[in-house]
Amino acid sequence: MVEGGRLVCTAGPCAGRTFELSANEVVIGRSSRCGIVIGDPGVSRWHLALRRSLNGWAAEDLGSGNGTTLNGQPLRQATTLSDGDVLSLAATRFSYRACARRRFAAELRSRFRGRRLAVLLLVPALALGWVGLRAHQAAVAKNEEARRAKEAAAYAFQRGKKLVRQGDWRQAQLTFEALQAQATELPGLQEYIERGKKEIENQNLLDRATAALEEDELGAAAEALSSVSPDTQLRSQLQQVRALLEQRAVAQMNEARRALAERDYPRALEIAEDLLAALPKNSEAESLAERSRRAAAARPKPLAQGRLARMRDAAAQRFRAGDLKGAISVAEECAVKASEPCRRLLGQLREIAALLGRAEQLDLNGLERLLELDMRAAGGHASSLVVPAVARAGALYYKEAVQAKGAAQWARAMELAAKALTLAPDHLGARSLVGELKARAKELFVFAYSLKDTAPEDSMVKFKEVLARTPPDDEFHRKAQTWIEKLSR
């Protein structure tokens, strides 16, 4: 076993520092995982390796971009070092110094011969054996640490791929980017990151289409769906949104026919043109649009705007008072006079009546739609008609928040608990859950902040975990995003 030596940095960012060679292999480079880390931009992440051998320490260039020179000559293969050799890596220069015991042993060999020399070399030999044992123990510990790190990275990679199978590309992408920030070499990781960028854009388009359908904007929904990449892996969600588009198209077709029957020709034409934007070759939509255009020319002169506004306000006032039938009656009378605000209010009131008729069977999406329509029809304030629905929605929000927390979906749990508190400010469970999640996010943020100067890469990973645990409007979410941007510069 060859004893250790040391490298003395004589030029570059680490000039004046001495590095002891204690392990069996020491890698020099810019990566934080190297045994000797050099902040020289000309040095590669994995630049040069020093390996212990029977003949001494051998230096080998690891295919670096700028290469390595030994005593001014290019280092093209593994070469055993001699005391005083100079290694140059870009602007950084090292002087190799053999172990003092080795130099002393060489001097003894030059002065003594025979048995006296053997006796004098016995003690250094024993010392070298002890040093070798310690080096072996250190190497075993380092290998164990590397093995654990590799297992942790592999586990995180599998967790990210499981999220992909579940269709949660946003959370999966955070996991993959965290692994990339740790300079983890995993087969297929970069491919998942590239695919994640595309799938998150597809998810945004699907969300945009769904939001458009909720507003009965079929043309905008169809446009968003047409932009989804053909090779998307979100096929199940894509099929669901397309099915919803077909359902809304049937409903809007019926609404257009109803508007024609009620002689609300502008409304019928508006719906038919939106249908044509979504379904360009639909003959029924073309027929409805043409009939609406012909009939619109013969429509009666509308009432004065002031009177129409008063009728619309009267309908909304009756609704706020809990008289839904009376509000619909007034809105119908106003809508016949070709008042767009009245037609819009009438549509909202009719949908509210339909939803209230099956309020006990509504899921969370249905309750959200009911509350949204109620706020619009009532002018920004919930009516007395939806008080039971508000309480039920708050309870469902809290139930889903607890489930999201159990699945480690921290940001979604926070978002749902906050919605529950918005509907039911005195909900103790939701208030406790929000407090717990905020406290955890704060602890994680403080830990990440403490690492930003000494271990910026680890700090970056922790800040990204804060993002995953908090919604975009959270205080620590915004602060973590700011620090991620700063550390990325």
Side-chain angles (χ1 to χ4, degrees), residues 241-359:
V241 179
R242 283 176 174 169
L244 181 59
L245 173 61
E246 294 175 359
Q247 294 174 7
R248 295 306 302 166
V250 172
Q252 287 296 85
M253 199 77 72
N254 293 332
E255 181 64 23
R257 296 191 188 99
R258 187 184 304 112
L260 270 176
E262 296 173 353
R263 294 179 294 178
D264 188 354
Y265 307 124
R267 174 62 176 161
L269 181 58
E270 177 187 0
I271 296 174
E273 289 179 342
D274 187 45
L275 282 166
L276 283 174
L279 310 170
K281 298 180 180 180
N282 188 283
S283 58
E284 181 65 19
E286 291 178 349
S287 174
L288 286 170
E290 182 60 28
R291 290 165 57 192
S292 300
R293 293 189 191 100
R294 289 198 305 267
R299 65 182 178 181
K301 185 178 180 180
L303 296 176
Q305 291 298 317
R307 182 178 175 187
L308 290 174
R310 288 193 294 274
M311 293 179 71
R312 196 272 179 202
D313 291 343
Q317 185 175 0
R318 286 197 177 192
F319 174 71
R320 285 193 294 271
D323 183 6
L324 180 57
K325 290 184 178 180
I328 291 176
S329 177
V330 175
E332 286 176 338
E333 181 183 355
C334 179
V336 171
K337 308 303 180 181
S339 169
E340 178 59 30
C342 288
R343 286 196 297 269
R344 189 161 48 250
L345 176 61
L346 178 59
Q348 294 169 353
L349 293 175
R350 284 174 173 169
E351 188 172 353
I352 289 172
L355 291 171
L356 284 175
R358 50 190 180 89

Side-chain angles (χ1 to χ4, degrees), residues 46-114:
W46 306 87
H47 195 111
L48 178 69
L50 296 179
R51 297 186 179 90
R52 190 193 302 267
S53 69
L54 294 176
N55 298 324
W57 284 92
E60 181 181 4
D61 188 273
L62 298 177
S64 62
N66 292 325
T68 304
T69 63
L70 174 61
N71 299 325
Q73 298 299 319
L75 182 61
R76 303 189 187 283
Q77 61 185 5
T79 304
T80 302
L81 300 177
S82 299
D83 186 50
D85 280 351
V86 175
L87 290 165
S88 297
L89 298 71
T92 300
R93 207 160 46 244
F94 292 102
S95 176
Y96 170 72
R97 303 299 298 170
C99 176
R101 282 188 295 273
R102 184 169 186 174
R103 293 197 300 272
F104 178 66
E107 292 176 4
L108 288 177
R109 283 193 298 271
S110 67
R111 295 181 183 180
F112 299 99
R113 294 293 185 271

Side-chain angles (χ1 to χ4, degrees), residues 422-435:
T422 300
L423 295 176
D426 296 330
H427 197 296
L428 297 180
R431 187 178 300 279
S432 175
L433 182 56
V434 167

